[in-house]
C-alpha cells in the first residue's frame, strides 16, 4: 500500500488474470486519512484498452473509494505475458463540499500552483486460477479407494461416490434375491390355486357320478314296476276272456 499525504492506494499493481477473449477486472481502494476533501483522477497510457469507473471523483475525509479497472477482451496474448501499459493516479486537496461534477482539469494543473500528488501503477498479467484436477479412484492396481473429508467436515462428491459403490454392489444381489423370492412366491400361489381347482373338479365329478348312479337305479325300479303292472293287466284280460 502506498501512503501519500492525501490518499493511500492499495494495491500498487493492477493484476489481471489474463484470458483470451474475455473481459477481466481488478480493483483499487483509495483511502483518505485526512480531514480534507480529496479529488482524484485516473489516467492510462492505453485508454482504448481499459475502462475505469470512476475515472475521477471525490474521496470524503476519513473514508475510502473503490475504483474498478476493466481490461477489454484481448484476441492475442502478449509476448512473454509482459504488459507495458501504465496508470497514473493524481490526487489533490480541494474545498469542502465539492462533488464529482465540480472536478475539472485545472484542479490537477501544477502550473496553476496546485499541489498534486501522483502515483504510477503498472499492469501485470497473471495466470488464471486453475480448476481442481479430478481425483483418481486408485493409483495402483488393487488399492482400495479412501474417502477424504473437507475442512468443514463434509465428504466430497468424488469420495461419496467411491464410498457408496460397495454399498450399491451389495444392494444389487439383494434386489435380485428379492425378485427371485417374489417370483417363487408367485409360482407357489399359482400352484396352490391349481391344486384347489383340481380338487374342486374332482369333487364335482364325484357328485355327477353319484347322481348318475341314482338316476340309473330309479329307471330300473320303474321298469320293473311297469312290467309288473303290465303283467297283471294282461293276466286280468286272459281270465276275462
Amino acid at each position: 500500500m502506498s501512503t501519500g499525504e492525501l490518499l493511500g492506494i492499495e494495491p500498487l499493481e493492477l493484476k489481471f488474470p489474463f484470458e483470451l477473449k474475455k473481459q477481466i477486472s481488478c480493483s483499487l481502494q483509495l483511502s483518505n486519512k485526512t480531514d480534507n476533501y480529496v479529488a482524484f483522477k485516473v489516467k492510462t497510457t492505453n485508454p482504448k484498452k481499459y475502462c475505469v469507473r470512476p475515472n475521477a471523483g471525490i474521496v470524503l475525509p476519513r473514508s475510502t473509494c473503490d475504483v474498478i479497472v476493466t481490461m477489454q477482451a484481448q484476441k492475442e496474448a502478449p509476448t512473454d505475458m509482459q504488459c507495458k501499459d501504465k496508470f497514473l493516479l493524481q490526487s489533490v486537496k480541494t474545498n469542502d463540499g465539492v462533488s464529482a461534477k465540480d472536478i475539472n482539469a485545472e484542479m490537477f494543473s501544477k502550473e496553476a500552483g496546485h499541489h498534486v500528488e501522483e502515483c504510477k501503477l503498472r499492469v501485470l498479467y497473471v495466470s488464471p486460477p486453475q480448476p481442481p484436477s479430478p481425483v483418481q479412484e486408485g493409483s495402483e492396481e488393487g488399492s482400495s479407494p479412501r474417502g477424504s473429508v473437507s475442512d468443514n467436515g463434509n465428504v466430497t462428491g468424488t469420495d461419496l461416490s467411491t464410498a457408496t459403490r460397495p454399498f450399491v454392489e451389495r444392494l444389487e444381489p439383494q434386489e435380485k434375491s428379492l425378485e427371485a423370492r417374489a417370483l417363487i412366491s408367485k409360482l407357489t400361489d399359482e400352484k396352490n390355486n391349481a391344486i384347489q381347482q383340481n380338487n374342486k373338479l374332482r369333487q364335482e365329478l364325484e357328485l355327477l357320478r353319484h347322481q348318475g348312479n341314482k338316476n340309473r337305479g330309479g329307471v330300473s325300479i320303474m321298469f320293473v314296476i311297469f312290467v309288473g303292472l303290465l303283467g297283471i293287466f294282461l293276466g286280468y284280460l286272459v281270465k276275462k276272456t
Side-chain angles (χ1 to χ4, degrees):
M1 178 175 180
S2 174
T3 303
E5 295 181 4
L6 299 177
L7 291 181
I9 306 170
E10 185 179 4
L12 293 177
E13 297 173 339
L14 295 173
K15 296 182 179 181
F16 293 93
F18 187 86
E19 294 184 58
L20 290 176
K21 300 180 181 180
K22 184 177 180 181
Q23 282 190 349
I24 308 167
S25 298
C26 65
S27 63
L28 292 173
Q29 186 177 74
L30 310 181
S31 302
N32 182 1
K33 297 183 179 181
T34 72
D35 295 324
N36 302 309
Y37 280 60
V38 176
F40 72 89
K41 186 175 183 180
V42 181
K43 296 181 179 180
T44 178
T45 57
N46 197 342
K48 293 183 178 180
K49 184 177 178 181
Y50 301 94
C51 176
V52 183
R53 291 291 182 271
N55 63 345
I58 300 292
V59 186
L60 300 179
R62 306 294 176 180
S63 64
T64 61
C65 177
D66 290 329
V67 177
I68 305 300
V69 181
T70 301
M71 181 176 67
Q72 303 301 321
Q74 301 298 301
K75 298 181 180 180
E76 297 179 357
T79 306
D80 299 329
M81 294 295 288
Q82 299 295 323
C83 183
K84 298 180 180 181
D85 299 333
K86 298 289 189 298
F87 282 81
L88 178 65
L89 177 68
Q90 294 178 313
S91 58
V92 62
K93 183 174 68 174
T94 186
N95 298 327
D96 294 350
V98 173
S99 63
K101 65 181 180 179
D102 298 323
I103 297 176
N104 53 63
E106 187 179 355
M107 297 174 62
F108 300 93
S109 173
K110 296 180 181 179
E111 288 78 6
H114 297 142
H115 175 69
V116 181
E117 285 189 357
E118 295 182 342
C119 180
K120 294 181 180 180
L121 308 173
R122 65 173 183 163
V123 176
L124 293 180
Y125 292 150
V126 296
S127 300
Q130 298 295 327
S133 59
V135 179
Q136 297 181 355
E137 295 181 359
S139 57
E140 296 180 1
E141 184 178 357
S143 62
S144 59
R146 294 181 296 176
S148 62
V149 180
S150 60
D151 295 338
N152 57 5
N154 296 327
V155 180
T156 61
T158 304
D159 298 329
L160 181 60
S161 175
T162 304
T164 56
R165 186 177 294 107
F167 173 76
V168 174
E169 293 176 353
R170 291 195 301 268
L171 185 60
E172 290 180 354
Q174 293 179 2
E175 292 178 350
K176 292 181 180 179
S177 177
L178 292 175
E179 292 178 358
R181 290 180 182 177
L183 181 59
I184 293 173
S185 177
K186 182 178 179 181
L187 293 176
T188 303
D189 293 340
E190 292 179 354
K191 179 181 177 182
N192 292 335
N193 292 333
I195 293 174
Q196 292 178 2
Q197 293 292 334
N198 190 17
N199 292 335
K200 185 176 180 180
L201 291 175
R202 287 184 179 180
Q203 293 175 0
E204 292 178 354
L205 183 60
E206 291 294 333
L207 181 61
L208 290 174
R209 287 179 179 176
H210 184 65
Q211 291 178 353
N213 291 333
K214 285 183 178 181
N215 292 333
R216 285 195 297 270
V219 172
S220 299
I221 293 173
M222 293 298 295
F223 181 74
V224 172
I225 294 173
F226 176 75
V227 172
L229 292 175
L230 182 61
I232 293 171
F233 180 72
L234 292 176
Y236 175 75
L237 291 177
V238 170
K239 288 181 180 181
K240 188 175 180 179
T241 55

